[in-house]
Amino acid sequence: MSLLEIEKLSLSIHGAPILREVDISVASGEVMGLVGESGSGKSMTALTLMQLLPQGARASGRVTFDGIDILSAPESAMCRLRGDDIGMVFQEPMTALNPVKTIGEQVAEGIRWHTGANRADAEARARAMLERVGLPEKQFPLTRYPHELSGGQRQRVVIAIACALKPKLLIADEPTTALDVVLQAQILDLLRDLVDENRMSLLLISHDLAVVTDMSDRITIMRHGEVMEEGETARTLTEQRHPYTRQLAEASTHVPARAKTPVQKGTTEPLLSVQNVTRDYPVRRESLFRPAKPFRAVNNVSFSLDAGQTTALVGRSGCGKSTLARMILALDRPTSGAIAFLGEDISAKSEAALRPARRNMQVVFQDPYGSFDPRHKVERLVAEPLHLLDEKPGQARRRELVAEALEQVGLQTSDLDKYPHEFSGGQRQRISIARAIITKPKLVVADEPVSALDVSIRAQILDLFADLNERLGVAYLFITHDLTVARAITDTVMVMHDGEIVEHGITNDVLNRPATEPAKALVAAAPDLQRALERRLEKVERA
C-alpha cells in the first residue's frame, strides 16, 4: 500500500507552468529516488507535498499522504504533519538552521511542539537523537551553535531534527551535494540506517545518479516539470528506454575528448613551483600560563605545475586545499617556504609588484552567482580583470574583448547587456570562466567549479575546460572532492590530508591504485554509477 500518492499534479507560479501532471507513488518503507537536472521540478514537487509554496503558486491534481488530502488540508493540519509524520532534510544546512539558537534547542523545539514534552524530557530526547546521528554530547554539547560545526556535522543536526519524531516519510533534498565524498558516504549510510530502523519511507532528491542508484529501490526521472520515466532502479537505468534517461547516464560518466597526451616533466622551468610551504594560524590561548600553539593548516607542501598541465587537488573538507590555493593566488602569505610563478617568487611581493602575476593567474569559484555583483551587467563583470593590463583598453576595445571571451566559452555577444539572474547555473559558470580567461592567463585555479551543477551541465563545463586547455594552453589547478571530475579532466592528481600532500602522480595511477590510506578512503567512498548498478542488480537477484 502506498504511503504517498501524487496523481496528475500540476503547478504554476504567477501563471508560469512548473509541474505538468506528475505521477509519483512511494510505498511504506520504500526509498524512492527523484532525479533530474536543475529546474526539472524535483524540489517544487517536494515543496508542494510540504505545502511550502511561494505566493502566486497554484496547484491542481491529487496529493495523498497516509490518507490525508494534502492540497486541501488547512495550514493547521499541515503544521501537525510537518516535522512529525513528514520530515525534510534541506540541501544547505547552514541556511536551514537558526544561527542564534543552539543545536540542542533546535532539535528539542519540534519534540516539544509536537509532543508537549517538558524542557528536560525534550532535551533528553534531543541528546539521544544527536548521539544517534554521530554527535555525542561529550564532543558536541547541546550548547553549541551551528557556526561551531563543520558542514557534515551541521547536516547531521538537520537530519536529527527531521528524524527526531520518527516520521513516516523523510524527504532529503540534495542532502550531500556540498560534502566531500567520505562525508557524503557517511551521511548516506546514516540515512539508510535510520530508514531501516524506523521503517521510514525516503524520497531522495538528487542529480547524482550514482548516489540515487546506490540508495533507491525505485527511481523517477523528471525533466521540465514532467515525469520522463519511472520504475525499479536497476531496470530503469540499465534498459534506458527513454532517451533522456540515456542522456543522464552518459553525462554522469562523461569524459571530455582530449587530443593531447598528458604533459610529461621536461627540462624547462615549471610554470608554478611550490617549495616546502607551511601556513600556521594563531589560535585563542587556553591558559594565561601556557602559550597558544598555532594551528597548522598546510604543512611542508611541495609540487610543481608545468605550462598547459592540468592537476587536481583532492581531499576531504578541512584538509587545507583552499588555504593552499589562497597562497598560490597570493591572497595569503605562507608562514615559511616559497611559491614561484613564471620564475619569480610571489610569496612576499607587494600588491603593486604582484600585478603581472595576477594578470597571468585567475580563479573560477564554486558559486558563480555569489562571486558576481547582481547589480552589474555581464560586460562589466567579465571586464573586471582588464584593469591588470599595462595598457587599459578603451570602451570600444573593452567591449570587443568581453565579446570575444564570451564567444570562447559558448555564449553570445547579445549576452553582454544582461544581468547574472537572467542566466542558468551552467551559463553563469561560463561567464565566470570568461572572466577568468579574458586576460589570457597562463594558470587558472578552479575551486569546485562544477560541484553545484547537475550532470548534463557539468559535462558541458568539463568539455569547455578541456577545449580551452587545448586551444589556449591554459594550465589548471582543479580543487575538488569529486573524483570523477579529477578522472575526466586532469593529467595528474595530488591527494591532500591534514595539510600535507600524501600522494601525487598520474591521475589514473593514483585513483586506480591508491597507495596511502587517505587516498584509499577517498576512492572507496567516491560514488560510481557502474559499481552502484552492479550492487543494485545483485540485490534484485538475491530478492
Side-chain angles (χ1 to χ4, degrees):
M1 179 180 175
S2 293
L3 176 69
L4 172 68
E5 282 283 355
I6 299 176
E7 302 174 79
K8 305 294 182 186
L9 174 63
S10 295
L11 176 71
S12 64
I13 299 178
H14 296 299
I18 305 298
L19 302 176
R20 298 176 179 87
E21 297 194 342
V22 170
D23 291 329
I24 298 173
S25 66
V26 183
S28 295
E30 182 181 44
V31 179
M32 166 63 78
L34 190 56
V35 181
E37 296 173 284
S38 299
S40 62
K42 308 185 300 294
S43 294
M44 292 309 298
T45 300
L47 292 176
T48 303
L49 172 58
M50 296 289 283
Q51 285 296 284
L52 295 174
L53 295 169
Q55 288 187 342
R58 296 288 182 271
S60 62
R62 187 164 170 265
V63 179
T64 307
F65 171 76
D66 201 22
I68 300 169
D69 186 349
I70 293 291
L71 296 186
S72 63
E75 179 61 18
S76 58
M78 291 305 303
C79 284
R80 288 192 294 271
L81 283 177
R82 297 187 199 112
D84 189 1
D85 288 334
I86 307 176
M88 188 160 184
V89 178
F90 294 93
Q91 177 175 353
E92 178 44 64
M94 197 58 180
T95 57
L97 295 171
N98 189 330
V100 299
K101 286 189 175 183
T102 65
I103 60 173
E105 287 178 301
Q106 296 188 64
V107 178
E109 185 177 33
I111 297 171
R112 294 183 65 192
W113 197 93
H114 284 287
T115 67
N118 60 41
R119 184 179 296 276
D121 289 343
E123 283 188 0
R125 292 178 63 174
R127 188 178 296 110
M129 192 65 219
L130 285 169
E131 184 164 354
R132 177 62 193 84
V133 300
L135 299 175
E137 189 178 19
K138 284 186 178 180
Q139 288 93 357
F140 304 96
L142 271 61
T143 53
R144 282 199 180 184
Y145 289 88
H147 72 271
E148 297 179 283
L149 303 175
S150 70
Q153 291 162 356
R154 287 194 290 263
Q155 192 63 292
R156 290 172 184 270
V157 175
V158 174
I159 293 172
I161 294 171
C163 297
L165 293 168
K166 299 182 180 179
K168 297 176 181 177
L169 173 65
L170 180 64
I171 303 171
D173 189 0
E174 300 280 9
T176 61
T177 298
L179 305 179
D180 66 57
V181 290
V182 176
L183 277 177
Q184 174 176 261
Q186 293 173 0
I187 294 298
L188 292 175
D189 285 342
L190 172 61
L191 287 174
R192 189 184 290 110
D193 290 345
L194 290 171
V195 166
D196 291 342
E197 284 175 18
N198 302 322
R199 291 296 298 162
M200 287 190 295
S201 299
L202 174 63
L203 180 62
L204 177 63
I205 300 172
S206 179
H207 62 248
D208 191 326
L209 274 184
V211 167
V212 171
T213 301
D214 217 21
M215 291 284 292
S216 305
D217 303 311
R218 290 192 303 123
I219 189 171
T220 297
I221 298 174
M222 293 186 69
R223 186 186 193 191
H224 300 325
E226 299 181 64
V227 172
M228 298 289 102
E229 190 170 0
E230 70 85 26
E232 191 275 322
T233 300
R235 180 192 61 77
T236 301
L237 293 180
T238 51
E239 294 179 2
Q240 300 176 5
R241 293 179 179 177
H242 196 283
Y244 183 62
T245 305
R246 187 160 53 253
Q247 178 185 325
L248 277 182
E250 289 173 354
S252 296
T253 55
H254 177 73
V255 176
R258 303 178 70 200
K260 69 174 187 178
T261 56
V263 174
Q264 300 296 321
K265 288 285 182 183
T267 57
T268 58
E269 188 174 48
L271 175 70
L272 174 72
S273 177
V274 177
Q275 295 294 327
N276 306 112
V277 165
T278 295
R279 183 64 172 101
D280 293 335
Y281 289 101
V283 296
R284 188 171 56 189
R285 295 181 64 169
E286 296 180 359
S287 169
L288 290 172
F289 307 102
R290 188 182 305 163
K293 185 178 180 181
F295 169 69
R296 178 153 292 183
V298 174
N299 184 29
N300 198 33
V301 166
S302 297
F303 70 93
S304 63
L305 187 65
D306 291 338
Q309 186 179 0
T310 60
T311 292
L313 179 61
V314 303
R316 298 191 58 182
S317 299
C319 70
K321 302 189 300 293
S322 295
T323 300
L324 179 58
R326 286 181 60 81
M327 290 188 289
I328 291 170
L329 292 165
L331 299 174
D332 203 354
R333 294 189 176 186
T335 305
S336 62
I339 299 174
F341 180 65
L342 290 172
E344 294 187 11
D345 189 347
I346 63 172
S347 53
K349 281 191 173 185
S350 66
E351 277 300 313
L354 282 169
R355 180 182 290 269
R358 295 206 187 284
R359 182 170 65 243
N360 284 298
M361 183 191 302
Q362 292 292 322
V363 61
V364 176
F365 295 100
Q366 177 177 357
D367 179 11
Y369 197 65
S371 66
F372 292 148
D373 189 326
R375 302 169 298 174
H376 295 162
K377 293 182 179 179
V378 165
E379 179 183 355
R380 179 168 175 176
L381 294 170
V382 175
E384 283 178 346
L386 292 177
H387 77 278
L388 296 169
L389 299 180
D390 294 330
E391 295 183 12
K392 307 297 185 296
Q395 178 62 33
R397 178 56 180 158
R398 187 178 79 161
R399 193 171 175 87
E400 287 177 10
L401 289 171
V402 174
E404 180 185 328
L406 289 177
E407 288 173 2
Q408 285 181 324
V409 300
L411 295 175
Q412 307 297 319
T413 303
S414 57
D415 295 326
L416 280 158
D417 299 313
K418 295 179 181 178
Y419 290 93
H421 73 267
E422 298 180 73
F423 297 89
S424 68
Q427 289 171 326
R428 284 197 289 264
Q429 195 61 293
R430 288 176 183 268
I431 295 169
S432 183
I433 296 169
R435 179 173 62 180
I437 67 171
I438 196 169
T439 59
K440 296 180 172 57
K442 305 289 186 185
L443 171 66
V444 170
V445 178
D447 189 359
E448 300 282 7
V450 295
S451 65
L453 304 178
D454 57 60
V455 289
S456 297
I457 303 296
R458 183 182 72 173
Q460 295 170 17
I461 297 299
L462 291 178
D463 280 338
L464 173 59
F465 274 120
D467 179 58
L468 293 173
N469 176 246
E470 297 288 344
R471 287 192 290 114
L472 306 180
V474 182
Y476 295 123
L477 178 63
F478 273 89
I479 301 170
T480 182
H481 61 245
D482 189 338
L483 299 192
T484 59
V485 171
R487 289 180 188 275
I489 199 70
T490 62
D491 304 318
T492 61
V493 64
M494 299 183 292
V495 180
M496 198 167 188
H497 181 71
D498 287 344
E500 299 180 355
I501 302 295
V502 297
E503 200 160 342
H504 186 188
I506 300 299
T507 299
N508 285 335
D509 291 346
V510 172
L511 298 185
N512 291 340
R513 294 174 293 278
T516 61
E517 288 306 316
K520 289 177 181 177
L522 285 175
V523 171
D528 182 276
L529 179 57
Q530 193 55 46
R531 289 204 310 259
L533 271 175
E534 290 170 0
R535 286 193 294 268
R536 179 60 55 186
L537 287 169
E538 287 176 6
K539 286 183 181 179
V540 171
E541 290 173 2
R542 287 199 302 267

